[in-house]
Amino acid sequence: MAGSGGGDRGSPEAELRRGFKTLAVTRPDPSAAVYEVRLNRPTRLNALSPDAFAEIPRAMALLDRAPAARAVVLSAAGPHFCAGIELGSPGSPATAPSGDPAPAAAEGLRRAILEMQAALTAIERCRKPVVAAVHGACVGGGVEVVAACDIRCCSKDATFVLREVDMAIVADLGALQRLPRIVGYGNAADLALTGRKITAMEAKEMGLVTRVFNSKQELDAGVAKIAKEISEKSAWAVMGTKAVLLRSRDITVEQGLEHVATWNAAMLRSNDLEEAIQAFLEKRKPVFSKL
């Protein structure tokens, strides 16, 4: 023990071990390069507090840097995934100034919203793929959290709802920007304008989630398997695929093709490509480079 404290002080893994107030970040299987980030305020239905908005980007930045992390599972403790933004938090409806606010008050609210947006965008910007595991209720800001993930799965008891329109506000943490690209404009408009709750099966039909599991236990096992499978692939290929997917989402097909050509011109010289070909020819599992 005495020799293990100083060498990794300041490393991403050491920082993760310091812990969080609103999250539980663990490596459930030491043999797998998969970390789990769990929303961990079950008594508050995992409502997003100021601490959560501060800790989510910190956790994602550390996992982005951690060589031992090749994939991330985003889950939640307790009976529900997330009840949305905690009322009374900066930027929530309960703290928004009423009437015609002074410019200073409006600018303060704008800054708070931008900071919360950046916190959820950190999930998307983490170079490691993030797989969401949703159970129970996923409300408002919770939907905006999972929209920033790369793969979304849920248990059959999961429900999804954007309630902002019923609170007389516009969803402002990314749902209106990301959902049209995930479920199509019509489905996104349906959810955002009606504020109606959808079931797990309807979420799958519209493409919000890709897999539905019969129970939370099966969800946890299934998502862990997905993340482990991703983590066993070439880290450079996986991170590159995520980067190109995100970049291509916001540009034309022609620009996207140019981008991936430039990317592969640099990355195809990696040892992982040679190893993948050799392993295929030898009918064995490849052993890819460490980060």
Side-chain angles (χ1 to χ4, degrees):
M1 292 293 291
S4 64
D8 66 349
R9 185 175 299 155
S11 70
E13 291 84 357
E15 288 295 308
L16 289 168
R17 286 194 294 271
R18 290 175 56 190
F20 302 82
K21 293 179 180 178
T22 67
L23 307 174
V25 181
T26 60
R27 187 178 180 181
D29 180 358
S31 68
V34 176
Y35 275 76
E36 181 179 13
V37 176
R38 188 165 62 250
L39 304 181
N40 197 31
R41 299 178 73 216
T43 59
R44 303 289 297 174
L45 304 181
N46 298 311
L48 300 171
S49 65
D51 283 336
F53 281 111
E55 291 185 336
I56 288 171
R58 177 178 161 236
M60 289 298 162
L62 290 170
L63 291 169
D64 180 88
R65 291 168 43 211
R70 292 190 176 215
V72 179
V73 171
L74 180 59
S75 65
H80 298 291
F81 182 80
C82 179
I85 298 177
E86 187 170 65
L87 293 179
S89 297
S92 75
T95 57
S98 60
D100 186 15
E107 177 58 21
L109 180 58
R110 178 179 177 274
R111 284 198 303 270
I113 293 170
L114 289 174
E115 288 171 2
M116 292 189 294
Q117 290 174 348
L120 301 195
T121 296
I123 299 171
E124 188 175 79
R125 288 186 176 172
C126 177
R127 292 178 301 160
K128 319 300 173 60
V130 181
V131 186
V134 181
H135 71 285
C138 183
V139 179
V143 176
E144 299 187 280
V145 167
V146 300
C149 296
D150 303 296
I151 299 173
R152 291 161 293 277
C153 303
C154 70
S155 55
K156 68 178 181 180
D157 72 324
T159 59
F160 301 83
V161 61
L162 282 174
R163 286 236 173 96
E164 282 83 350
V165 71
D166 291 328
M167 302 293 291
I169 61 171
V170 178
D172 56 10
L173 299 188
L176 301 186
Q177 291 70 38
R178 294 186 176 100
L179 284 182
R181 292 174 167 88
I182 296 169
V183 302
Y185 178 87
N187 285 323
D190 185 348
L191 296 176
L193 293 173
T194 66
R196 71 183 181 90
K197 183 188 298 183
I198 62 170
T199 64
M201 293 314 299
E202 189 171 359
K204 186 175 188 300
E205 288 170 4
M206 67 174 59
L208 180 57
V209 300
T210 54
R211 309 189 200 190
V212 177
F213 295 87
N214 287 326
S215 66
K216 186 178 185 304
Q217 184 177 10
E218 290 185 22
L219 170 69
D220 292 341
V223 167
K225 183 174 183 289
I226 293 168
K228 188 172 188 293
E229 288 173 350
I230 292 172
S231 74
E232 292 172 346
K233 302 181 187 302
S234 163
W236 301 112
V238 167
M239 291 189 297
T241 297
K242 173 171 178 172
V244 170
L245 278 170
L246 288 172
R247 177 64 176 153
S248 298
R249 180 189 66 183
D250 301 322
I251 58 179
T252 66
V253 172
E254 184 177 358
Q255 290 169 328
L257 291 171
E258 174 68 22
H259 179 69
V260 72
T262 303
W263 183 283
N264 270 348
M267 297 308 298
L268 283 179
R269 290 175 290 179
S270 75
N271 293 332
D272 282 356
L273 175 60
E274 182 179 345
E275 170 62 12
I277 294 172
Q278 193 65 32
F280 175 79
L281 294 174
E282 296 175 3
K283 298 181 179 180
R284 60 174 173 80
K285 189 174 181 179
V287 180
F288 293 118
S289 304
K290 294 182 179 181
L291 287 175

